[in-house]
Amino acid sequence: MLGCGMARTDDRFRSAYNRLLDICGSMDIGGQLPAETVLADRMDVSRTIVRSALQKLDSDKLIRWEGRNKTLIRKPEPEHRLEVEEGTLSTEELEQRFFEWILRFDVPAGTALNVAQFSRQFGVPVHNLQEFLAGLSRLGLVERRPRGGWFLLGFTSEFAIELSDFRMVLELNAVRQLLTLPPEHEIWQKLETLKQEHEDLKAVLKDRYHDFSLLDEKFHSAINSVVKNRFVLEAQKLIKLIFHYHYMWDKRDELERNAAAIEEHLEWINAILAHDVEKSEAAALKHLRRSKVTLLQSLRGHKFA
Amino acid sequence: MLGCGMARTDDRFRSAYNRLLDICGSMDIGGQLPAETVLADRMDVSRTIVRSALQKLDSDKLIRWEGRNKTLIRKPEPEHRLEVEEGTLSTEELEQRFFEWILRFDVPAGTALNVAQFSRQFGVPVHNLQEFLAGLSRLGLVERRPRGGWFLLGFTSEFAIELSDFRMVLELNAVRQLLTLPPEHEIWQKLETLKQEHEDLKAVLKDRYHDFSLLDEKFHSAINSVVKNRFVLEAQKLIKLIFHYHYMWDKRDELERNAAAIEEHLEWINAILAHDVEKSEAAALKHLRRSKVTLLQSLRGHKFA
DNA sequence: ATTTTGAATTTAATAATTAAATACAATATG
DNA sequence: CATATTGTATTTAATTATTAAATTCAAAAT
């Protein structure tokens, strides 16, 4: 253990060792530690780790370990604790950092992605990045080059158009399903609340137009929540991501855009609450079409900024 | 080069070397090989590889290499050629093998997937498998375990139901789009041909009912082909895969099932050709709903076989 | 008979290594 | 001298080797 080039972090060992110190701390000198299996169970690690930790406790003269006797001979002090590395970025965080990078620097489609550089920049093992990019390739955002490496595909106008069209298909389907739901379904109450929230924000929009982004997400999530389907959900995660990030970086005409969107949302909500299928679909289409145009404009804006 | 533990195959070098032998073969003794850059360009490899290959030609006494003089001193013989390893499985082949394995052995949801074992079984580097599984995780078919490893999620009844529902959303959308297309669009001719093919097969179904599988795929592909959208296409790839494999392994009542399907297809095609929106959607729904039931039955059949 | 331990094996993550690509300076050629 | 070509060094990416950790199984102790 602790060779010069450690092929794998011993993080799990270190945190287990510290937890074992805690256990020792709550015991009296001369007391016996429980069996290896019991410790392994209690700390949710393998016996291998328990045994390594016990070995270290023994060689550090905190316990005397002979066969199945593990006698505490000294109370652990704070300096006995091992430093535990802070965890690496989660997939969600990595996703955030990646999209932020793309949009902040207007990375154009076709750009080669340097895994080693990302690894340094984000402090993420190359391995995790490969995995992350492989996932994105299924979504058509990146592609593998014939001989190693990756390159960015997405964020062209075509991508935005197709994503928006896909969004339309999914949300119109959600609207159709929604309108067949019985009056006792929670969605109706949700929509009443959302209507009120839209009207409240509309009244103070000039001062608080930044707040619309959150409300927008809440509204679309509510509409989509009636469809219980893992494929739809997965697709919506991507849609939310792209639209969210683009709005975050495109601040032109934000007040006007949000004012128009609120009106469209209200028209849509009212049509649904009136159980008017035709009007609901029309209102949905109107809003989604304008959303598509906005996304396209934000892309062009970025490109020629 | 050629150390005992080669960290990477020198496949590229070997095939480049062989191509260089071909070039030498078409030259006369005493002739000069072109510049390194020219060779690199012509063989589509880096100069590094060209230089390694030249070095080997020199040490094998086929050329004399001094500075920029590369003189052919002996014609290459067949025994000079290097053996080139056959390439590894492509992503598509890997996908096929993976799904075949799942369905052939009825691998239940929740099963832990052993990357090392797949690597041996399929003859694919672990690396590629990780990448492949990372892609599937975006589709919700597998999931990463908290501490390393993967496990299978899909192929439960819920999965089949949600996939079928998703399919309905996409194909109904395709039908709606199809019906707005102008008469000169190629789809109308395609549908006429498909109608004839269905009727031809129907006439000889008792003897050739196995052929329906192909026709089924052709028909659904045609319908979906009118939607030009990368997200829809990606989703359809998965749908096709799952339905295809299930039909391949479920042979019960194949004749009856296919007979019914042909009738449903014909009803659907006729409704579309008559430009009847209502009837087209109804026929599509009827067929897709029965397809869903069949998929669910085939799952149960597998489970209790 | 059951629990616990010791040792060996297997699995999975990652550091080290190698093939290949690229960049750049040095040299030769017209 | 300008251009083309080569030699060397660096960077990148794929794969092996190594290590941490989990698991397995038989032996020993209670």
Side-chain angles (χ1 to χ4, degrees):
Chain A
M1 202 201 305
L2 293 173
C4 52
M6 200 156 27
R8 185 174 164 168
T9 63
D10 58 352
D11 226 51
R12 221 167 139 62
F13 165 78
R14 297 169 95 88
S15 67
Y17 182 79
N18 287 340
R19 267 175 295 164
L20 204 50
L21 288 183
D22 292 337
I23 292 175
C24 288
S26 68
M27 287 169 45
D28 294 321
I29 302 275
Q32 291 290 325
L33 278 165
E36 293 170 14
T37 41
V38 176
L39 287 171
D41 252 36
R42 195 184 298 176
M43 311 202 296
D44 190 34
V45 291
S46 71
R47 258 186 63 220
T48 310
I49 289 195
V50 172
R51 287 171 65 81
S52 323
L54 287 173
Q55 206 130 47
K56 182 165 170 58
L57 282 178
D58 183 59
S59 65
D60 286 1
K61 304 259 188 276
L62 285 162
I63 64 167
R64 185 187 322 279
W65 188 20
E66 291 161 311
R68 57 187 61 180
N69 291 341
K70 298 167 284 283
T71 320
L72 185 67
I73 52 179
R74 184 180 158 194
K75 282 263 190 175
E77 306 287 332
E79 66 266 25
H80 286 123
R81 299 187 79 82
L82 297 174
E83 258 184 71
V84 176
E85 286 282 313
E86 18 114 27
T88 181
L89 265 59
S90 72
T91 311
E92 280 77 31
E93 288 168 315
L94 180 57
E95 203 165 73
Q96 288 228 342
R97 295 286 304 270
F98 181 75
F99 285 110
E100 198 179 306
W101 172 77
I102 290 180
L103 290 166
R104 186 192 284 269
F105 299 108
D106 281 329
V107 182
T111 302
L113 303 174
N114 188 327
V115 179
Q117 189 197 309
F118 280 131
S119 174
R120 283 191 294 270
Q121 192 173 334
F122 298 160
V124 172
V126 176
H127 185 251
N128 290 16
L129 277 164
Q130 297 278 14
E131 218 169 277
F132 173 68
L133 291 174
L136 288 190
S137 77
R138 280 270 176 191
L139 302 180
L141 271 169
V142 301
E143 203 171 273
R144 218 165 192 344
R145 276 186 303 183
R147 245 183 329 287
W150 300 86
F151 67 96
L152 194 65
L153 275 178
F155 299 129
T156 58
S157 307
E158 290 77 37
F159 182 89
I161 289 170
E162 291 176 17
L163 187 69
S164 300
D165 289 343
F166 193 48
R167 186 195 194 197
M168 277 190 215
V169 172
L170 298 183
E171 291 212 6
L172 281 176
N173 172 61
V175 169
R176 285 189 201 105
Q177 278 199 232
L178 199 161
L179 287 167
T180 67
L181 293 174
E184 64 270 21
H185 195 282
E186 55 162 9
I187 188 64
W188 301 111
Q189 189 46 57
K190 262 202 223 169
L191 281 173
E192 291 285 1
T193 310
L194 276 164
K195 180 178 174 179
Q196 193 55 55
E197 286 173 335
H198 274 80
E199 274 162 355
D200 291 350
L201 183 58
K202 181 180 165 183
V204 294
L205 193 66
K206 279 204 185 67
D207 305 314
R208 307 250 311 273
Y209 61 88
H210 278 102
D211 295 4
F212 176 69
S213 171
L214 262 175
L215 188 56
D216 184 65
E217 197 175 308
K218 195 172 168 188
F219 170 65
H220 286 281
S221 291
I223 296 278
N224 289 317
S225 71
V226 304
V227 181
K228 308 286 188 207
N229 188 298
R230 70 189 73 187
F231 305 101
V232 175
L233 274 172
E234 187 61 39
Q236 271 156 6
K237 259 171 61 183
L238 176 70
I239 291 166
K240 217 159 84 178
L241 201 74
I242 305 289
F243 277 84
H244 168 74
Y245 273 106
H246 267 285
Y247 289 145
M248 229 171 71
W249 290 101
D250 189 27
K251 292 301 182 198
R252 293 165 309 159
D253 316 320
E254 200 183 358
L255 175 57
E256 291 84 343
R257 277 199 280 116
N258 290 351
I262 285 193
E263 292 301 336
E264 288 166 7
H265 278 190
L266 280 169
E267 194 185 331
W268 188 352
I269 295 174
N270 286 327
I272 294 177
L273 288 176
H275 291 80
D276 188 327
V277 180
E278 295 266 313
K279 266 194 191 167
S280 297
E281 288 196 25
L285 260 178
K286 186 174 160 191
H287 176 61
L288 292 170
R289 283 203 179 116
R290 223 194 32 85
S291 247
K292 175 177 170 179
V293 171
T294 308
L295 179 64
L296 274 167
Q297 280 175 343
S298 105
L299 267 172
R300 294 217 183 84
H302 267 282
K303 214 168 267 176
F304 305 120
Chain B
M1 203 200 303
L2 296 172
C4 54
M6 203 156 25
R8 184 174 165 166
T9 64
D10 57 353
D11 225 51
R12 219 166 141 64
F13 165 78
R14 298 169 95 88
S15 67
Y17 183 79
N18 287 340
R19 268 175 295 165
L20 204 49
L21 287 183
D22 292 337
I23 291 174
C24 290
S26 67
M27 287 168 47
D28 295 321
I29 302 277
Q32 291 290 326
L33 278 165
E36 294 172 13
T37 41
V38 175
L39 287 171
D41 253 35
R42 195 184 298 174
M43 310 202 296
D44 191 34
V45 292
S46 72
R47 257 185 65 219
T48 310
I49 286 195
V50 172
R51 288 171 65 80
S52 323
L54 288 173
Q55 206 131 47
K56 182 164 170 60
L57 282 179
D58 184 60
S59 65
D60 284 4
K61 303 259 189 275
L62 285 162
I63 65 167
R64 187 187 321 281
W65 187 22
E66 291 161 311
R68 57 188 60 181
N69 292 341
K70 298 169 281 282
T71 319
L72 185 66
I73 51 178
R74 185 182 160 194
K75 283 263 192 177
E77 306 286 333
E79 66 264 27
H80 286 124
R81 299 188 79 81
L82 298 175
E83 258 185 69
V84 176
E85 286 282 315
E86 19 112 31
T88 180
L89 264 60
S90 71
T91 311
E92 280 77 30
E93 289 169 315
L94 179 57
E95 203 166 74
Q96 288 228 342
R97 297 285 304 271
F98 181 75
F99 285 111
E100 198 178 308
W101 171 78
I102 290 179
L103 290 165
R104 187 193 282 270
F105 299 108
D106 281 330
V107 183
T111 302
L113 303 174
N114 188 328
V115 179
Q117 188 198 309
F118 280 129
S119 173
R120 282 191 297 270
Q121 192 172 334
F122 298 159
V124 171
V126 177
H127 185 250
N128 292 15
L129 277 163
Q130 297 279 11
E131 218 170 277
F132 173 68
L133 291 174
L136 288 190
S137 78
R138 281 270 175 186
L139 302 179
L141 270 170
V142 302
E143 206 171 271
R144 218 168 192 341
R145 276 185 304 182
R147 244 185 328 288
W150 299 85
F151 66 96
L152 192 67
L153 275 176
F155 297 126
T156 57
S157 307
E158 290 77 37
F159 182 89
I161 289 171
E162 290 176 18
L163 187 69
S164 302
D165 289 344
F166 193 49
R167 187 195 193 196
M168 279 191 213
V169 172
L170 297 184
E171 292 213 6
L172 282 176
N173 172 62
V175 170
R176 283 188 204 108
Q177 278 198 230
L178 200 162
L179 287 167
T180 67
L181 292 174
E184 63 271 20
H185 194 282
E186 57 162 8
I187 187 65
W188 300 110
Q189 188 49 54
K190 261 202 224 169
L191 282 173
E192 292 284 0
T193 311
L194 276 164
K195 180 179 174 178
Q196 193 56 54
E197 287 175 336
H198 273 79
E199 273 163 356
D200 290 350
L201 183 58
K202 182 180 165 185
V204 294
L205 192 67
K206 278 203 184 68
D207 304 313
R208 307 250 311 273
Y209 61 90
H210 278 102
D211 294 4
F212 176 70
S213 172
L214 263 175
L215 188 57
D216 184 65
E217 196 175 307
K218 197 172 167 188
F219 170 66
H220 285 283
S221 291
I223 296 278
N224 289 318
S225 72
V226 303
V227 181
K228 309 284 187 207
N229 188 296
R230 70 190 73 188
F231 305 102
V232 174
L233 274 173
E234 186 60 38
Q236 272 158 4
K237 259 171 62 184
L238 177 70
I239 290 167
K240 216 158 87 179
L241 202 74
I242 305 289
F243 276 85
H244 168 74
Y245 274 106
H246 267 285
Y247 289 144
M248 228 171 72
W249 289 103
D250 189 25
K251 292 299 182 199
R252 293 165 307 159
D253 315 320
E254 201 184 357
L255 175 59
E256 292 84 343
R257 275 200 281 117
N258 290 352
I262 285 194
E263 292 301 336
E264 287 166 8
H265 279 191
L266 280 170
E267 192 185 331
W268 188 350
I269 295 174
N270 286 326
I272 294 177
L273 288 176
H275 291 79
D276 188 326
V277 181
E278 295 266 314
K279 265 194 190 165
S280 298
E281 288 196 26
L285 260 178
K286 187 175 161 190
H287 176 61
L288 293 169
R289 283 204 179 115
R290 223 194 31 87
S291 249
K292 175 177 171 179
V293 171
T294 309
L295 179 63
L296 275 167
Q297 280 174 345
S298 105
L299 268 172
R300 293 215 185 84
H302 268 281
K303 215 167 266 175
F304 306 120

